[in-house]
Amino acid sequence: MTERIWFSEPNIEDFSKGHKNTAVDAMGIKVTEIGDDYIRGTMPADHRTFQPFGLIHGGANVVLAETLGSIGANLVIDPSKEFSVGQEVNANHVRGVREGYVTGTAKLAYRGRSSQVWEIHIEDDKGRLSCISRLTMAVVPLKR
């Protein structure tokens, strides 16, 4: 059995409300599942996320990856004491996607006092790897 990593019980509905009228909303990104140690979400492969050649734009993959990793990073800390912000993100795009949806799964790879590293795998509708991303998050104490 996998150990639960969240500071408090996550609620998918809260993320939907918080992303209203943002890039996440405009691109059709949805958080679909929160497991004991991962967050999963989808993004459509359509006109909102394509580059000119009819493939998902690499930057759209990065938005999906950073969205999922950022949510996770803020769920493993005590929000009354600190918050997490993106520090660095990279992505390797290994397969183009022309239709359907992509699904990203974010997992915590490293957790320290002042930083976290998240690994996000993005797959197409057939479960084939499309992108691997790594996100480094800074953990910032709240000012009192």
Side-chain angles (χ1 to χ4, degrees):
M1 185 166 158
T2 305
E3 183 181 333
R4 195 156 182 81
I5 63 173
W6 314 123
F7 177 79
S8 60
E9 191 61 35
N11 181 341
I12 290 176
E13 299 303 317
D14 292 341
F15 307 121
S16 298
K17 291 176 196 166
H19 291 142
K20 204 104 172 116
N21 298 317
T22 67
V24 172
D25 187 33
M27 294 171 64
I29 294 172
K30 305 259 188 260
V31 176
T32 58
E33 182 181 354
I34 300 175
D36 288 342
D37 67 342
Y38 66 90
I39 293 188
R40 188 166 287 139
T42 60
M43 180 177 70
D46 67 16
H47 67 280
R48 296 171 287 180
T49 59
F50 281 165
Q51 41 91 314
F53 299 111
L55 297 165
I56 282 190
H57 194 290
N61 279 339
V62 171
V63 172
L64 175 60
E66 189 159 359
T67 298
L68 297 173
S70 292
I71 291 169
N74 281 287
L75 284 174
V76 299
I77 59 175
D78 181 348
S80 71
K81 297 179 181 172
E82 54 198 1
F83 63 100
S84 284
V85 294
Q87 201 169 28
E88 191 270 339
V89 63
N90 69 48
N92 296 100
H93 309 289
V94 297
R95 178 185 300 276
V97 178
R98 294 184 179 277
E99 62 186 5
Y101 282 81
V102 291
T103 300
T105 303
K107 292 188 122 191
L108 182 61
Y110 168 79
R111 181 177 179 187
R113 282 188 326 241
S114 61
S115 69
Q116 300 174 21
V117 178
W118 287 77
E119 186 169 272
I120 303 93
H121 287 209
I122 300 174
E123 299 175 338
D124 68 11
D125 283 337
K126 295 179 181 163
R128 299 177 298 191
L129 187 64
S130 171
C131 176
I132 301 171
S133 182
R134 189 180 66 233
L135 173 66
T136 303
M137 299 290 292
V139 179
V140 181
L142 287 174
K143 297 198 189 240
R144 298 274 172 203

